[in-house]
Amino acid sequence: MKLILAILSNEDSSTASRALTEKKFQVTKLNTTGGFLRAGNTTLMIGCEDEDVQEAIELIKESSRKRSELIPSSAGYDMGRYMSFPIEVQVGGATIFVLDVEQFLKI
Amino acid sequence: MKLILAILSNEDSSTASRALTEKKFQVTKLNTTGGFLRAGNTTLMIGCEDEDVQEAIELIKESSRKRSELIPSSAGYDMGRYMSFPIEVQVGGATIFVLDVEQFLKI
Amino acid sequence: MKLILAILSNEDSSTASRALTEKKFQVTKLNTTGGFLRAGNTTLMIGCEDEDVQEAIELIKESSRKRSELIPSSAGYDMGRYMSFPIEVQVGGATIFVLDVEQFLKI
Ligand code: NI
Ligand code: NI
Ligand code: NI
């Protein structure tokens, strides 16, 4: 038995949580802040059999792929008018720890 | 030294937390959502000596026994009147992970 | 790779978090309540290389040194007047668990 701790952005953690639950993984969300990924992040806690660790990691990877998103945040003054320029930000990514579980009980 | 992570319903976690604290176990509550037990759940984190793990597990078990409760939620329309039927739901249960601790410090 | 879980008072956890981040440690804060340190506490989760564990522990120690603080809470009635006496309380302290990490991924 292993315990997977995965730190993801809030947005990606919902996607990952859904994908994992669909494949019958049992997921617990820990409310976390700061740290690995600056803004709002979530730590997913997944207990699973040793042979299922790789599948869980794949599902987390797919849910948190690094990608660019355009956000409308930069603004400038040009030719007498204010203009807004979308800027590209990197989102996604995950930090994953796999721990060994000595004893596991479901009661 | 071991670290016990126990996921319980919010209600049972308070009972377990009290029972554990009375027996001098040191308990930390992590605010968690979803997962193992659908509705509001809590993860208790308990650090203890190897020889005390079994006692802690027993206390958690006693606090989270699976049991039925009647809740007044189902409603039907019968003979011209609305009627409310209590329904039986299963509550309780816990998911417990015991991890080995390599180094423990209390400063 | 190791995973350090450190339970500190909310106040000290901010100091520790800053100190750790400055030294390039990656810190995630878990919102926790009760337990080891009665009042509001925080659990810091730090993943780091085996050879950096000691440095992380030192930074946590320095941020949570046990110390006395005077708080103006005790009041008494003396010579016909109410008087407030500052009382000394012990603050600080930390509980630290170091766990072994079987697999670590940053994606
Ligand atoms: Ni195993
Ligand atoms: Ni031990
Ligand atoms: Ni290692």
Side-chain angles (χ1 to χ4, degrees), chain A residues 1-2 48-50 99-102, chain C residues 102:
Chain A
M1 196 77 190
K2 302 294 177 205
C48 70
E49 296 301 326
D50 299 36
L99 309 176
D100 190 48
V101 173
E102 278 208 350
Chain C
E102 280 208 348

Side-chain angles (χ1 to χ4, degrees), chain B residues 6-21 27-32 37 40-46 59-60 63-65 67 92-94, chain C residues 33:
Chain B
I7 305 163
L8 306 145
S9 73
N10 291 343
E11 193 189 328
D12 291 345
S13 81
S14 299
T15 315
S17 190
R18 237 186 336 262
L20 288 159
T21 306
V27 184
T28 298
K29 285 191 195 188
L30 305 177
N31 303 322
T32 50
L37 305 159
N41 64 43
T42 302
T43 299
L44 299 182
M45 193 161 81
I46 305 127
L59 291 168
I60 297 167
S63 306
S64 62
R65 241 190 302 271
R67 58 206 184 267
Chain C
T33 55

Side-chain angles (χ1 to χ4, degrees), chain A residues 27-30 102-103 105 107, chain B residues 32-33 35-36 94 96 98:
Chain A
V27 184
T28 298
K29 285 191 196 188
L30 305 177
E102 278 208 350
Q103 206 185 333
L105 277 111
I107 55 176
Chain B
T32 50
T33 54
F36 291 106
I96 302 173
V98 182

Side-chain angles (χ1 to χ4, degrees), chain B residues 91-104:
Chain B
V91 293
T95 301
I96 302 173
F97 300 98
V98 182
L99 309 176
D100 190 48
V101 173
E102 281 208 348
Q103 206 184 334
F104 173 71

Side-chain angles (χ1 to χ4, degrees), chain A residues 15-92:
Chain A
T15 315
S17 190
R18 238 187 336 264
L20 288 159
T21 305
E22 258 168 38
K23 295 286 181 188
K24 312 294 178 224
F25 284 98
Q26 297 190 301
V27 184
T28 298
K29 285 191 196 188
L30 305 177
N31 303 323
T32 50
T33 55
F36 292 105
L37 305 159
R38 240 69 276 290
N41 63 43
T42 301
T43 299
L44 298 182
M45 193 160 81
I46 304 126
C48 70
E49 296 301 326
D50 299 36
E51 61 268 27
D52 297 325
V53 169
Q54 210 41 52
E55 188 189 353
I57 289 176
E58 283 309 314
L59 290 168
I60 296 167
K61 272 189 185 174
E62 284 164 27
S63 306
S64 60
R65 239 191 302 272
K66 278 200 176 128
R67 57 207 184 268
S68 315
E69 271 180 15
L70 290 177
I71 56 165
S73 75
S74 162
Y77 194 67
D78 183 51
M79 305 277 288
R81 299 175 300 161
Y82 272 105
M83 301 193 50
S84 159
F85 305 98
I87 57 164
E88 209 170 309
V89 290
Q90 270 263 309
V91 292

